[in-house]
Amino acid sequence: MYPPPPLPPRRDFISVTLSPGRSYDGVQGLRRRSFWRKWKQLSRLQRNVVLFLLAFLMLCGLLSYISVADEWKAVGSRSAEGPKMRPANPPVLPAPRRAAENPETFAGASPQKPPRHFRRGPPNLQIRAPDGDAKDRRQEEAQRRAEAVGEAPREDEAQGSRVSRRGTGPEPERGTQLPLRKAEAPARPSPQALRTRNSPASQNERQKAVVAAFRHAWAGYRKFAWGHDELKPVSKSFSEWFGLGLTLIDALDTMWILGLKKEFEEARKWVSQRLLFQKNVDVNLFESTIRILGGLLSAFHLSGDVLFLKKAEDFGNRLMPAFQTPSKIPYSDVNIGTGVAHPPRWTSDSTVAEVTSIQLEFRELSRLTGVKKFQEAVEEVTRRVHSLRGKKDGLVPMFINTNSGLFTHLGVFTLGARADSYYEYLLKQWIQGGKKETQLLEDYLEAVEGIKKHLLHRSEPGKLTFVGELAHGRFSAKMDHLVCFLPGTLALGAHHGLPADHMELARALMDTCYQMNRQMETGLSPEIVHFNLHPQKSRKDVQVKAADRHNLLRPETVESLFYLYRLTGDRKYQDWGWELLRSFNTYTRVPSGGYSSISNVQDPRNPQPRDKMESFFLGETLKYLYLLFSDDPDLLSLDTYVFNTEAHPLPIWAPS
């Protein structure tokens, strides 16, 4: 046997032989071919993902470059404009003249001059449309304002079933411009101002009683419902509607007028830090406009604090999608977070009162910001309603379709829920705009004649003049408590030069509204009454059905008492208001804090509290009582301010 052949020696390397004829141009060329081979080996999906990521990174880089370039450009622009935009002594509120023409200082900035927001009358309004850097200038203005009063800049400035409120001039000076119309700028600062910081020393006993009532209501809200929409005083809890602190915002200007500085500042802090509109919630266009937008605008005008104007503009922008309808008649509801607007779930109609009672607020927002879209949207609604068929001697139906833009439910006319504030805003827009919009005046005058012709009757046996309803030619002696806004509106019109018989009718209707309270055992009016039309000795003029006996702390009677006293000087209206305040304290006051609506105004021993304090009790009822008891005609002069339908005072553009 032969031995096995020896094994070959083991090698620790591998030899690689390049194919002949294949060029080799160094490491980089090899690497390039290797990358391409690997790229071809990837699947189509993998290659697409890689290409997408590369494109995304290139886009991000491009956007970053543009952003940085714009920022540096803006900084350079503002640096160049700085000397123009920084008056040495900026006013509390933007003035209607150029800054250099109005050297007044802030409250507290100069000991030689009284604080500007102590005067009675409207602030001077900035009616020049802001340019592209308005937001930056507002922030700088807020900082300068804080520095002027010796304060550090505020950190916050840097950074179920519902009760509806109304049922379910000469050209401006050179350099100023008002969107859509020209409003008269005062030749000089108004001699009026609110002396609210000194008002506690000058309050009479009745006004002090109102302040005490407000403090009691506010204490309940602050303890049990702080930051929420409404207080439930009996159960010591709260209810939500929009989740936007309705009661707090509604009461801002009331606190300012009553001189409650501590409460106002506390509420202001909440608005600054906690009032956020970026939330997924539906709000009613009408209710949120008159309460939130109106409340913020009024707080801005009375206090001069730009925070409230900034919040108002933000909120106004979030309401605008409601106007995006085929007919330009706005939807009733809009989601302020998503911007989706819609009609109620059960119908495509909006109520006439809702779409025609938002004009004061949106017009004023355009005046202050220079943004035309707010005023354009609401005035388009006014124009369309003006030309619609279906009216009866100036009276309008209660519903309007958002798709067709036409009245629906024709033949039914009321001054109660769903139609009432349409008539109120015809007059008040005319007053707000300096009495120049004759179409509004003509519609209002025609409507008053229609009321006299079709809805006005007298009861038995007391011969009380009242406003009923008309349904397809049949008269109903039904009158909502809401209709008690009418005496005040008629009196306001007479004060501004309308026929004297409007004041006579206002007096007669005021007597009726007083009796609607007087003839109830609690001294508080029910929500709805029916008047007796036939002489019967055993029956009173005012009849109440069981379902209508509730009182919701509504302000309409007190509102008209304020106008009648302010414009006639007859002290009986003050006495009637005093009776109402005493009745509220007796039958609706909850000992632990707050006031509650009641279910039975005819049972003084058991009025049956409903455990709800509507926001308008603080925003309207107590405010109008305080103003009613004041003997100072310059306290929110009716020649200077016009009240929206939630009692928030807004300046008249051309005050008389």
Side-chain angles (χ1 to χ4, degrees), residues 626-654:
Y626 184 85
L627 295 174
L628 167 64
F629 297 146
S630 171
D631 292 323
D632 184 358
D634 288 337
L635 181 61
L636 293 171
S637 168
L638 297 178
D639 293 320
T640 306
Y641 290 94
V642 61
F643 290 83
N644 84 336
T645 197
E646 190 75 7
H648 297 304
L650 301 174
I652 297 173
W653 295 351

Side-chain angles (χ1 to χ4, degrees), residues 427 484-493 506 510 559-560 563-564 567:
L427 175 68
C484 286
F485 85 93
L486 186 58
T489 299
L490 289 168
L492 180 63
M510 189 73 262
E559 173 184 357
S560 286
Y563 282 107
L564 267 293
L567 300 176

Side-chain angles (χ1 to χ4, degrees), residues 33 91 121 166 170 183 216 297 366 413 419 464 478 502 579 625 647 651 654:
R33 289 184 178 84
R166 291 299 188 189
H216 182 77
L297 290 174
S366 275
F413 305 98
L464 298 177
K478 169 181 174 290
H502 287 202
E579 292 179 21
L625 280 169

Side-chain angles (χ1 to χ4, degrees), residues 187-205:
R188 59 182 181 276
S190 171
Q192 300 181 356
L194 289 175
R195 294 188 297 266
T196 51
R197 296 186 186 273
N198 298 325
S199 59
S202 60
Q203 291 170 346
N204 58 48
E205 292 303 314

Side-chain angles (χ1 to χ4, degrees), residues 127 169-173 178 181-185 367 433 436 653-654:
I127 57 178
E171 295 185 1
E173 300 177 28
L178 178 68
R181 78 178 76 258
K182 296 175 181 178
E184 180 178 307
R367 173 184 168 95
K436 297 176 177 63
W653 295 351

Side-chain angles (χ1 to χ4, degrees), residues 453-473:
K453 182 177 180 180
H454 300 291
L455 304 182
L456 211 59
H457 279 65
R458 302 185 74 182
S459 68
E460 296 292 345
K463 307 295 183 183
L464 298 177
T465 301
F466 70 95
V467 178
E469 298 182 353
L470 195 66
H472 308 292

Side-chain angles (χ1 to χ4, degrees), residues 87-125:
N89 296 305
V92 172
L93 292 183
R97 294 182 290 276
R98 290 186 294 272
E101 298 172 351
N102 191 1
E104 294 188 68
T105 59
F106 288 101
S110 172
Q112 288 80 17
K113 295 186 178 182
R116 284 203 50 190
H117 58 278
F118 288 4
R119 290 201 204 95
R120 285 199 169 81
N124 292 326
L125 303 178

